[in-house]
Short mmCIF file of all heavy atoms in Angstrom, two decimals:
data_model
loop_
_atom_site.label_atom_id
_atom_site.label_comp_id
_atom_site.label_asym_id
_atom_site.label_seq_id
_atom_site.Cartn_x
_atom_site.Cartn_y
_atom_site.Cartn_z
N MET V 5 -28.30 -19.26 74.24
CA MET V 5 -29.33 -19.01 73.29
C MET V 5 -30.21 -17.84 73.82
O MET V 5 -30.70 -17.05 73.05
CB MET V 5 -30.13 -20.24 73.05
CG MET V 5 -31.14 -20.09 71.99
SD MET V 5 -30.57 -20.88 70.53
CE MET V 5 -32.04 -21.59 69.90
N ALA V 6 -30.43 -17.83 75.11
CA ALA V 6 -31.24 -16.73 75.67
C ALA V 6 -30.57 -15.37 75.44
O ALA V 6 -31.26 -14.39 75.27
CB ALA V 6 -31.49 -16.98 77.15
N THR V 7 -29.28 -15.35 75.44
CA THR V 7 -28.55 -14.10 75.22
C THR V 7 -28.79 -13.53 73.84
O THR V 7 -29.05 -12.39 73.66
CB THR V 7 -27.07 -14.28 75.50
OG1 THR V 7 -26.87 -14.89 76.76
CG2 THR V 7 -26.32 -12.99 75.38
N SER V 8 -28.77 -14.41 72.84
CA SER V 8 -29.00 -13.93 71.44
C SER V 8 -30.39 -13.50 71.26
O SER V 8 -30.67 -12.56 70.49
CB SER V 8 -28.61 -15.02 70.46
OG SER V 8 -29.44 -16.15 70.65
N THR V 9 -31.34 -14.11 71.90
CA THR V 9 -32.75 -13.70 71.81
C THR V 9 -32.92 -12.29 72.46
O THR V 9 -33.61 -11.44 71.91
CB THR V 9 -33.67 -14.68 72.54
OG1 THR V 9 -33.44 -16.01 71.98
CG2 THR V 9 -35.13 -14.32 72.33
N ALA V 10 -32.30 -12.07 73.60
CA ALA V 10 -32.38 -10.78 74.25
C ALA V 10 -31.74 -9.68 73.38
O ALA V 10 -32.24 -8.61 73.25
CB ALA V 10 -31.74 -10.88 75.61
N ALA V 11 -30.59 -10.01 72.77
CA ALA V 11 -29.89 -9.06 71.91
C ALA V 11 -30.72 -8.71 70.73
O ALA V 11 -30.80 -7.56 70.30
CB ALA V 11 -28.55 -9.62 71.47
N ALA V 12 -31.46 -9.72 70.18
CA ALA V 12 -32.29 -9.48 68.97
C ALA V 12 -33.47 -8.55 69.39
O ALA V 12 -33.87 -7.68 68.65
CB ALA V 12 -32.79 -10.80 68.43
N ALA V 13 -34.02 -8.79 70.58
CA ALA V 13 -35.14 -7.93 71.05
C ALA V 13 -34.67 -6.51 71.25
O ALA V 13 -35.41 -5.58 70.92
CB ALA V 13 -35.72 -8.52 72.33
N ILE V 14 -33.48 -6.33 71.76
CA ILE V 14 -32.98 -4.95 72.01
C ILE V 14 -32.67 -4.28 70.67
O ILE V 14 -32.98 -3.11 70.48
CB ILE V 14 -31.69 -5.02 72.89
CG1 ILE V 14 -32.10 -5.45 74.31
CG2 ILE V 14 -31.01 -3.63 72.92
CD1 ILE V 14 -30.91 -5.73 75.19
N SER V 15 -32.09 -4.97 69.71
CA SER V 15 -31.72 -4.34 68.45
C SER V 15 -32.97 -3.99 67.61
O SER V 15 -32.88 -3.12 66.77
CB SER V 15 -30.76 -5.25 67.68
OG SER V 15 -31.46 -6.42 67.28
N SER V 16 -34.08 -4.69 67.79
CA SER V 16 -35.26 -4.38 67.04
C SER V 16 -36.13 -3.30 67.69
O SER V 16 -37.05 -2.85 67.08
CB SER V 16 -36.10 -5.67 66.81
OG SER V 16 -36.57 -6.11 68.07
N ALA V 17 -35.79 -2.90 68.86
CA ALA V 17 -36.57 -1.88 69.55
C ALA V 17 -36.23 -0.51 68.94
O ALA V 17 -35.08 -0.26 68.53
CB ALA V 17 -36.22 -1.86 71.06
N PRO V 18 -37.24 0.36 68.80
CA PRO V 18 -36.96 1.67 68.21
C PRO V 18 -36.05 2.51 69.15
O PRO V 18 -36.09 2.33 70.34
CB PRO V 18 -38.33 2.31 68.11
CG PRO V 18 -39.17 1.59 69.08
CD PRO V 18 -38.61 0.20 69.18
N PRO V 19 -35.22 3.38 68.58
CA PRO V 19 -34.38 4.20 69.43
C PRO V 19 -35.22 5.14 70.26
O PRO V 19 -36.31 5.56 69.87
CB PRO V 19 -33.49 4.93 68.43
CG PRO V 19 -34.22 4.90 67.14
CD PRO V 19 -35.08 3.68 67.17
N PRO V 20 -34.71 5.53 71.42
CA PRO V 20 -35.49 6.45 72.27
C PRO V 20 -35.57 7.82 71.57
O PRO V 20 -34.68 8.23 70.87
CB PRO V 20 -34.64 6.59 73.56
CG PRO V 20 -33.29 6.09 73.18
CD PRO V 20 -33.44 5.13 72.07
N LYS V 21 -36.69 8.48 71.78
CA LYS V 21 -36.91 9.77 71.15
C LYS V 21 -36.08 10.85 71.88
O LYS V 21 -35.98 10.84 73.12
CB LYS V 21 -38.37 10.22 71.17
CG LYS V 21 -39.26 9.36 70.29
CD LYS V 21 -40.63 9.83 70.18
CE LYS V 21 -41.42 8.97 69.21
NZ LYS V 21 -42.72 9.52 68.94
N ARG V 22 -35.47 11.73 71.12
CA ARG V 22 -34.71 12.81 71.69
C ARG V 22 -35.50 14.10 71.65
O ARG V 22 -36.34 14.28 70.77
CB ARG V 22 -33.43 13.03 70.84
CG ARG V 22 -32.52 11.83 70.81
CD ARG V 22 -31.29 12.15 70.01
NE ARG V 22 -30.41 10.96 69.91
CZ ARG V 22 -29.39 10.91 69.15
NH1 ARG V 22 -29.06 11.90 68.40
NH2 ARG V 22 -28.65 9.79 69.15
N ALA V 23 -35.17 14.94 72.59
CA ALA V 23 -35.84 16.21 72.63
C ALA V 23 -35.37 17.07 71.41
O ALA V 23 -34.21 17.01 71.05
CB ALA V 23 -35.51 16.97 73.92
N VAL V 24 -36.28 17.79 70.82
CA VAL V 24 -35.95 18.62 69.68
C VAL V 24 -35.23 19.83 70.16
O VAL V 24 -35.72 20.57 71.02
CB VAL V 24 -37.21 19.02 68.88
CG1 VAL V 24 -36.91 19.93 67.74
CG2 VAL V 24 -37.97 17.78 68.37
N LYS V 25 -34.04 20.10 69.60
CA LYS V 25 -33.28 21.28 70.00
C LYS V 25 -33.73 22.45 69.15
O LYS V 25 -33.96 22.36 67.97
CB LYS V 25 -31.78 21.06 69.75
CG LYS V 25 -31.20 20.00 70.67
CD LYS V 25 -29.70 19.88 70.42
CE LYS V 25 -29.08 18.83 71.31
NZ LYS V 25 -27.63 18.71 71.07
N GLN V 26 -33.88 23.59 69.78
CA GLN V 26 -34.22 24.83 69.11
C GLN V 26 -32.93 25.41 68.46
O GLN V 26 -31.88 25.40 69.13
CB GLN V 26 -34.80 25.85 70.06
CG GLN V 26 -36.15 25.40 70.67
CD GLN V 26 -37.23 25.24 69.59
OE1 GLN V 26 -37.29 26.07 68.63
NE2 GLN V 26 -38.08 24.29 69.71
N LEU V 27 -33.09 25.85 67.23
CA LEU V 27 -31.96 26.50 66.60
C LEU V 27 -31.77 27.93 67.15
O LEU V 27 -32.75 28.57 67.52
CB LEU V 27 -32.21 26.60 65.08
CG LEU V 27 -32.27 25.28 64.34
CD1 LEU V 27 -32.66 25.51 62.88
CD2 LEU V 27 -30.94 24.56 64.41
N PRO V 28 -30.56 28.41 67.18
CA PRO V 28 -30.33 29.77 67.61
C PRO V 28 -30.87 30.79 66.62
O PRO V 28 -31.03 30.42 65.44
CB PRO V 28 -28.81 29.88 67.74
CG PRO V 28 -28.29 28.83 66.86
CD PRO V 28 -29.30 27.72 66.85
N ALA V 29 -31.21 31.91 67.07
CA ALA V 29 -31.70 32.95 66.15
C ALA V 29 -30.61 33.29 65.15
O ALA V 29 -29.45 33.33 65.47
CB ALA V 29 -32.09 34.20 66.92
N PRO V 30 -31.01 33.55 63.89
CA PRO V 30 -29.98 33.87 62.92
C PRO V 30 -29.29 35.19 63.32
O PRO V 30 -29.90 36.12 63.79
CB PRO V 30 -30.79 34.12 61.63
CG PRO V 30 -32.18 33.63 61.89
CD PRO V 30 -32.35 33.50 63.35
N ASN V 31 -27.99 35.23 63.04
CA ASN V 31 -27.22 36.43 63.35
C ASN V 31 -26.56 36.90 62.06
O ASN V 31 -25.58 36.33 61.60
CB ASN V 31 -26.14 36.10 64.38
CG ASN V 31 -25.29 37.29 64.72
OD1 ASN V 31 -25.55 38.40 64.29
ND2 ASN V 31 -24.26 37.08 65.51
N SER V 32 -27.13 37.96 61.48
CA SER V 32 -26.59 38.45 60.22
C SER V 32 -25.33 39.28 60.40
O SER V 32 -24.66 39.59 59.40
CB SER V 32 -27.65 39.32 59.49
OG SER V 32 -27.98 40.42 60.30
N ASP V 33 -24.97 39.60 61.67
CA ASP V 33 -23.77 40.34 61.89
C ASP V 33 -22.71 39.43 62.55
O ASP V 33 -22.29 39.62 63.68
CB ASP V 33 -24.06 41.54 62.84
CG ASP V 33 -22.90 42.49 62.97
OD1 ASP V 33 -21.98 42.44 62.13
OD2 ASP V 33 -22.88 43.29 63.93
N PHE V 34 -22.30 38.43 61.78
CA PHE V 34 -21.43 37.37 62.27
C PHE V 34 -20.13 37.95 62.83
O PHE V 34 -19.59 37.51 63.85
CB PHE V 34 -21.11 36.39 61.13
CG PHE V 34 -20.22 35.27 61.54
CD1 PHE V 34 -20.76 34.16 62.21
CD2 PHE V 34 -18.91 35.28 61.27
CE1 PHE V 34 -19.91 33.13 62.62
CE2 PHE V 34 -18.07 34.22 61.64
CZ PHE V 34 -18.61 33.15 62.31
N TYR V 35 -19.58 38.96 62.21
CA TYR V 35 -18.36 39.56 62.65
C TYR V 35 -18.51 40.74 63.59
O TYR V 35 -17.59 41.41 63.92
CB TYR V 35 -17.48 39.98 61.43
CG TYR V 35 -17.02 38.80 60.66
CD1 TYR V 35 -17.57 38.53 59.40
CD2 TYR V 35 -16.05 37.98 61.13
CE1 TYR V 35 -17.15 37.44 58.65
CE2 TYR V 35 -15.63 36.86 60.39
CZ TYR V 35 -16.16 36.62 59.18
OH TYR V 35 -15.72 35.56 58.42
N GLN V 36 -19.77 41.01 63.98
CA GLN V 36 -20.12 42.07 64.93
C GLN V 36 -19.61 43.39 64.47
O GLN V 36 -19.06 44.19 65.27
CB GLN V 36 -19.60 41.69 66.33
CG GLN V 36 -20.22 40.39 66.83
CD GLN V 36 -19.68 39.95 68.14
OE1 GLN V 36 -18.56 40.33 68.59
NE2 GLN V 36 -20.45 39.11 68.86
N LEU V 37 -19.79 43.71 63.23
CA LEU V 37 -19.33 44.97 62.69
C LEU V 37 -20.15 46.12 63.15
O LEU V 37 -19.64 47.27 63.22
CB LEU V 37 -19.32 44.92 61.14
CG LEU V 37 -18.38 43.89 60.55
CD1 LEU V 37 -18.56 43.83 59.04
CD2 LEU V 37 -16.96 44.21 60.89
N VAL V 38 -21.40 45.93 63.53
CA VAL V 38 -22.23 47.01 63.98
C VAL V 38 -21.65 47.66 65.24
O VAL V 38 -21.81 48.82 65.47
CB VAL V 38 -23.69 46.53 64.27
CG1 VAL V 38 -24.56 47.58 64.91
CG2 VAL V 38 -24.31 46.10 62.91
N ASP V 39 -20.89 46.88 66.00
CA ASP V 39 -20.28 47.40 67.25
C ASP V 39 -19.29 48.50 66.95
O ASP V 39 -19.01 49.31 67.88
CB ASP V 39 -19.58 46.26 68.00
CG ASP V 39 -20.54 45.25 68.52
OD1 ASP V 39 -21.75 45.52 68.57
OD2 ASP V 39 -20.09 44.14 68.94
N VAL V 40 -18.73 48.60 65.79
CA VAL V 40 -17.74 49.64 65.48
C VAL V 40 -18.34 50.80 64.69
O VAL V 40 -17.61 51.75 64.33
CB VAL V 40 -16.51 49.03 64.69
CG1 VAL V 40 -15.81 47.97 65.53
CG2 VAL V 40 -16.94 48.50 63.38
N LEU V 41 -19.62 50.78 64.45
CA LEU V 41 -20.26 51.86 63.70
C LEU V 41 -20.61 53.05 64.62
O LEU V 41 -20.78 52.88 65.83
CB LEU V 41 -21.53 51.35 63.03
CG LEU V 41 -21.37 50.22 62.03
CD1 LEU V 41 -22.76 49.82 61.51
CD2 LEU V 41 -20.45 50.62 60.88
N THR V 42 -20.68 54.20 63.99
CA THR V 42 -21.16 55.39 64.70
C THR V 42 -22.66 55.33 64.91
O THR V 42 -23.32 54.49 64.30
CB THR V 42 -20.81 56.68 63.91
OG1 THR V 42 -21.55 56.66 62.73
CG2 THR V 42 -19.31 56.78 63.63
N ALA V 43 -23.21 56.19 65.73
CA ALA V 43 -24.64 56.24 65.93
C ALA V 43 -25.40 56.47 64.61
O ALA V 43 -26.43 55.87 64.35
CB ALA V 43 -24.99 57.30 66.96
N GLU V 44 -24.85 57.36 63.78
CA GLU V 44 -25.48 57.68 62.50
C GLU V 44 -25.46 56.46 61.59
O GLU V 44 -26.46 56.16 60.90
CB GLU V 44 -24.75 58.85 61.80
CG GLU V 44 -25.37 59.28 60.50
CD GLU V 44 -24.61 60.43 59.87
OE1 GLU V 44 -23.84 61.14 60.54
OE2 GLU V 44 -24.81 60.63 58.64
N GLU V 45 -24.36 55.71 61.55
CA GLU V 45 -24.25 54.54 60.75
C GLU V 45 -25.19 53.43 61.23
O GLU V 45 -25.81 52.71 60.46
CB GLU V 45 -22.80 54.04 60.74
CG GLU V 45 -21.87 54.95 59.95
CD GLU V 45 -20.40 54.66 60.15
OE1 GLU V 45 -20.00 54.11 61.28
OE2 GLU V 45 -19.64 54.97 59.26
N LYS V 46 -25.31 53.32 62.55
CA LYS V 46 -26.22 52.36 63.12
C LYS V 46 -27.67 52.65 62.78
O LYS V 46 -28.48 51.77 62.51
CB LYS V 46 -26.10 52.26 64.67
CG LYS V 46 -24.82 51.57 65.09
CD LYS V 46 -24.69 51.59 66.61
CE LYS V 46 -23.36 50.96 67.04
NZ LYS V 46 -23.24 50.91 68.51
N ALA V 47 -28.02 53.94 62.70
CA ALA V 47 -29.36 54.38 62.33
C ALA V 47 -29.62 53.99 60.87
O ALA V 47 -30.73 53.55 60.49
CB ALA V 47 -29.52 55.88 62.54
N THR V 48 -28.61 54.10 60.00
CA THR V 48 -28.76 53.71 58.62
C THR V 48 -28.93 52.21 58.51
O THR V 48 -29.82 51.73 57.76
CB THR V 48 -27.52 54.17 57.77
OG1 THR V 48 -27.34 55.55 57.91
CG2 THR V 48 -27.64 53.75 56.34
N VAL V 49 -28.19 51.42 59.24
CA VAL V 49 -28.37 49.99 59.27
C VAL V 49 -29.77 49.63 59.71
O VAL V 49 -30.43 48.78 59.07
CB VAL V 49 -27.29 49.31 60.18
CG1 VAL V 49 -27.65 47.85 60.41
CG2 VAL V 49 -25.93 49.48 59.61
N LYS V 50 -30.28 50.27 60.73
CA LYS V 50 -31.62 50.01 61.20
C LYS V 50 -32.67 50.37 60.17
O LYS V 50 -33.61 49.64 59.93
CB LYS V 50 -31.89 50.81 62.49
CG LYS V 50 -33.22 50.48 63.15
CD LYS V 50 -33.37 51.23 64.45
CE LYS V 50 -34.73 50.86 65.08
NZ LYS V 50 -34.90 51.56 66.36
N LYS V 51 -32.48 51.47 59.47
CA LYS V 51 -33.41 51.90 58.41
C LYS V 51 -33.42 50.89 57.27
O LYS V 51 -34.53 50.50 56.80
CB LYS V 51 -32.96 53.27 57.91
CG LYS V 51 -33.90 53.88 56.87
CD LYS V 51 -33.42 55.27 56.48
CE LYS V 51 -34.31 55.87 55.44
NZ LYS V 51 -33.84 57.21 55.00
N VAL V 52 -32.23 50.42 56.87
CA VAL V 52 -32.19 49.43 55.79
C VAL V 52 -32.81 48.13 56.21
O VAL V 52 -33.57 47.52 55.48
CB VAL V 52 -30.74 49.27 55.31
CG1 VAL V 52 -30.59 48.07 54.34
CG2 VAL V 52 -30.19 50.52 54.67
N ARG V 53 -32.50 47.70 57.43
CA ARG V 53 -33.08 46.45 57.91
C ARG V 53 -34.61 46.51 58.03
O ARG V 53 -35.30 45.57 57.60
CB ARG V 53 -32.50 46.13 59.33
CG ARG V 53 -33.00 44.78 59.84
CD ARG V 53 -32.41 44.45 61.19
NE ARG V 53 -30.95 44.43 61.15
CZ ARG V 53 -30.21 43.40 60.72
NH1 ARG V 53 -30.82 42.30 60.27
NH2 ARG V 53 -28.88 43.45 60.73
N THR V 54 -35.15 47.62 58.48
CA THR V 54 -36.59 47.81 58.56
C THR V 54 -37.20 47.72 57.15
O THR V 54 -38.21 47.03 56.92
CB THR V 54 -36.93 49.13 59.24
OG1 THR V 54 -36.40 49.15 60.53
CG2 THR V 54 -38.43 49.35 59.29
N TYR V 55 -36.58 48.38 56.20
CA TYR V 55 -37.06 48.33 54.79
C TYR V 55 -37.04 46.91 54.29
O TYR V 55 -38.03 46.40 53.66
CB TYR V 55 -36.24 49.21 53.92
CG TYR V 55 -36.62 49.18 52.46
CD1 TYR V 55 -37.70 49.94 52.03
CD2 TYR V 55 -36.03 48.32 51.57
CE1 TYR V 55 -38.11 49.88 50.69
CE2 TYR V 55 -36.43 48.23 50.27
CZ TYR V 55 -37.46 49.04 49.80
OH TYR V 55 -37.90 48.94 48.50
N MET V 56 -35.96 46.21 54.49
CA MET V 56 -35.83 44.82 53.99
C MET V 56 -36.87 43.91 54.64
O MET V 56 -37.43 43.07 53.94
CB MET V 56 -34.46 44.30 54.24
CG MET V 56 -33.32 45.04 53.48
SD MET V 56 -33.51 44.97 51.71
CE MET V 56 -33.08 43.25 51.39
N GLU V 57 -37.13 44.08 55.91
CA GLU V 57 -38.05 43.22 56.58
C GLU V 57 -39.53 43.50 56.22
O GLU V 57 -40.33 42.64 56.21
CB GLU V 57 -37.85 43.34 58.08
CG GLU V 57 -36.60 42.69 58.60
CD GLU V 57 -36.32 42.96 60.05
OE1 GLU V 57 -36.98 43.77 60.70
OE2 GLU V 57 -35.38 42.31 60.58
N THR V 58 -39.81 44.80 55.94
CA THR V 58 -41.21 45.16 55.65
C THR V 58 -41.57 45.15 54.18
O THR V 58 -42.67 44.82 53.79
CB THR V 58 -41.55 46.54 56.21
OG1 THR V 58 -40.68 47.49 55.65
CG2 THR V 58 -41.44 46.51 57.73
N LYS V 59 -40.63 45.51 53.30
CA LYS V 59 -40.93 45.58 51.87
C LYS V 59 -40.42 44.43 51.08
O LYS V 59 -41.07 43.99 50.13
CB LYS V 59 -40.34 46.91 51.30
CG LYS V 59 -40.79 48.15 52.01
CD LYS V 59 -42.22 48.45 51.73
CE LYS V 59 -42.61 49.79 52.36
NZ LYS V 59 -44.00 50.08 52.19
N VAL V 60 -39.24 43.93 51.34
CA VAL V 60 -38.61 42.90 50.51
C VAL V 60 -38.98 41.49 50.98
O VAL V 60 -39.34 40.63 50.16
CB VAL V 60 -37.10 43.10 50.48
CG1 VAL V 60 -36.40 42.00 49.69
CG2 VAL V 60 -36.73 44.46 49.90
N GLN V 61 -38.84 41.23 52.26
CA GLN V 61 -39.06 39.89 52.78
C GLN V 61 -40.42 39.30 52.40
O GLN V 61 -40.50 38.11 52.01
CB GLN V 61 -38.90 39.86 54.30
CG GLN V 61 -38.95 38.49 54.89
CD GLN V 61 -38.67 38.50 56.38
OE1 GLN V 61 -38.67 39.56 57.01
NE2 GLN V 61 -38.49 37.34 56.96
N PRO V 62 -41.53 40.06 52.41
CA PRO V 62 -42.84 39.46 52.07
C PRO V 62 -42.92 38.99 50.61
O PRO V 62 -43.72 38.16 50.29
CB PRO V 62 -43.80 40.57 52.36
CG PRO V 62 -43.13 41.51 53.32
CD PRO V 62 -41.66 41.45 52.98
N ILE V 63 -42.10 39.57 49.74
CA ILE V 63 -42.26 39.21 48.30
C ILE V 63 -41.02 38.54 47.70
O ILE V 63 -41.07 38.10 46.53
CB ILE V 63 -42.58 40.44 47.45
CG1 ILE V 63 -41.42 41.47 47.50
CG2 ILE V 63 -43.88 41.03 47.86
CD1 ILE V 63 -41.60 42.60 46.54
N ILE V 64 -39.92 38.37 48.43
CA ILE V 64 -38.71 37.90 47.84
C ILE V 64 -38.81 36.45 47.33
O ILE V 64 -38.21 36.10 46.31
CB ILE V 64 -37.51 38.03 48.82
CG1 ILE V 64 -36.19 37.86 48.12
CG2 ILE V 64 -37.64 37.12 50.02
CD1 ILE V 64 -35.88 38.90 47.15
N ASN V 65 -39.55 35.58 48.01
CA ASN V 65 -39.62 34.17 47.60
C ASN V 65 -40.20 34.04 46.20
O ASN V 65 -39.75 33.19 45.40
CB ASN V 65 -40.42 33.35 48.58
CG ASN V 65 -39.62 33.05 49.83
OD1 ASN V 65 -38.40 33.07 49.82
ND2 ASN V 65 -40.31 32.77 50.91
N LYS V 66 -41.15 34.88 45.87
CA LYS V 66 -41.77 34.85 44.52
C LYS V 66 -40.70 35.09 43.47
O LYS V 66 -40.63 34.36 42.46
CB LYS V 66 -42.86 35.92 44.46
CG LYS V 66 -43.41 36.09 43.07
CD LYS V 66 -44.43 37.25 43.08
CE LYS V 66 -44.73 37.76 41.66
NZ LYS V 66 -45.50 38.92 41.65
N TYR V 67 -39.85 36.01 43.68
CA TYR V 67 -38.78 36.33 42.69
C TYR V 67 -37.63 35.35 42.78
O TYR V 67 -37.02 35.08 41.73
CB TYR V 67 -38.29 37.78 42.90
CG TYR V 67 -39.39 38.76 42.62
CD1 TYR V 67 -40.14 39.35 43.68
CD2 TYR V 67 -39.72 39.11 41.35
CE1 TYR V 67 -41.17 40.23 43.41
CE2 TYR V 67 -40.72 40.00 41.06
CZ TYR V 67 -41.47 40.55 42.10
OH TYR V 67 -42.49 41.42 41.83
N TRP V 68 -37.36 34.82 43.93
CA TRP V 68 -36.31 33.82 44.03
C TRP V 68 -36.68 32.52 43.27
O TRP V 68 -35.86 31.96 42.54
CB TRP V 68 -36.09 33.49 45.56
CG TRP V 68 -35.02 32.48 45.77
CD1 TRP V 68 -35.15 31.15 46.02
CD2 TRP V 68 -33.59 32.76 45.79
NE1 TRP V 68 -33.97 30.57 46.20
CE2 TRP V 68 -32.96 31.54 46.09
CE3 TRP V 68 -32.83 33.87 45.68
CZ2 TRP V 68 -31.60 31.38 46.20
CZ3 TRP V 68 -31.46 33.76 45.73
CH2 TRP V 68 -30.86 32.52 46.00
N ILE V 69 -37.93 32.15 43.45
CA ILE V 69 -38.39 30.90 42.78
C ILE V 69 -38.45 31.06 41.28
O ILE V 69 -38.04 30.19 40.49
CB ILE V 69 -39.80 30.50 43.35
CG1 ILE V 69 -39.61 30.03 44.77
CG2 ILE V 69 -40.41 29.36 42.49
CD1 ILE V 69 -40.94 29.84 45.51
N SER V 70 -38.94 32.21 40.80
CA SER V 70 -39.11 32.43 39.35
C SER V 70 -37.86 32.81 38.64
O SER V 70 -37.73 32.81 37.44
CB SER V 70 -40.17 33.48 39.08
OG SER V 70 -39.74 34.78 39.54
N GLY V 71 -36.80 33.22 39.38
CA GLY V 71 -35.55 33.73 38.83
C GLY V 71 -34.76 32.68 38.23
O GLY V 71 -34.03 32.62 37.36
#
């Protein structure tokens, strides 16, 4: 009988807390295509990325929600 009481006490105990794992940074170049671009093409990618991060990202949610 003592065994069943001990098992009941263990099963009702909350599970131990786990450390929160950090997600990896998003990688938009999953296939690593930038590695095969020329310097000029890489500059264009950088220019487009900068535009998207500064002009589009701040307002995109408004349009995504209302769309």
Side-chain angles (χ1 to χ4, degrees):
M5 186 104 140
T7 307
S8 63
T9 307
I14 292 172
S15 66
S16 65
K21 292 189 178 188
R22 297 181 184 172
V24 177
K25 293 182 180 179
Q26 295 295 324
L27 294 175
N31 179 7
S32 61
D33 189 18
F34 182 79
Y35 293 108
Q36 300 174 339
L37 296 176
V38 172
D39 294 345
V40 298
L41 299 178
T42 65
E44 183 179 340
E45 292 168 332
K46 287 178 183 181
T48 302
V49 169
K50 185 176 180 179
K51 183 177 178 181
V52 170
R53 183 178 303 279
T54 300
Y55 177 83
M56 296 299 288
E57 289 173 349
T58 60
K59 303 291 185 183
V60 177
Q61 187 177 11
I63 62 170
I64 193 68
N65 283 339
K66 173 184 163 187
Y67 295 99
W68 181 261
I69 292 168
S70 67

